[in-house]
Amino acid sequence: MTRKELADMLGISLRTLDNWEKEKPDLVRLINQGFALDESIEATKKHLEELENIKAKANNGKFKLK
């Protein structure tokens, strides 16, 4: 994600983001980690949904799982 995209997602200007990075680097780090975690959660959710679909098909006799 670019700095511009981050600023847009947060609804702030690039200048404000610059100030945060200089004055409160931990805050910016936490924000970035939050976005990364959110993406990880979404990916995990997608994988779990795929597994549930496979399980449902197996229960309908479409797959034979040992």
Side-chain angles (χ1 to χ4, degrees):
M1 171 182 310
T2 66
R3 294 174 71 252
K4 173 78 171 113
E5 290 170 334
L6 178 59
D8 288 344
M9 286 183 77
L10 296 172
I12 60 172
S13 68
L14 270 175
R15 184 179 200 129
T16 299
L17 183 58
D18 287 339
N19 290 337
W20 287 5
E21 288 174 333
K22 291 174 189 167
E23 297 170 14
K24 302 174 185 176
D26 291 338
L27 173 64
V28 176
R29 189 175 310 115
L30 285 172
I31 291 168
N32 285 328
Q33 288 174 346
F35 284 129
L37 285 173
D38 190 42
E39 290 176 14
S40 296
I41 289 169
E42 287 301 316
T44 301
K45 181 180 174 187
K46 181 180 174 186
H47 293 300
L48 289 173
E49 288 170 353
E50 289 171 3
L51 288 173
E52 286 298 318
N53 287 336
I54 291 169
K55 182 180 173 185
K57 287 177 183 177
N59 288 338
N60 289 332
K62 295 186 179 182
F63 294 109
K64 291 194 178 196
L65 300 177
K66 294 181 180 179

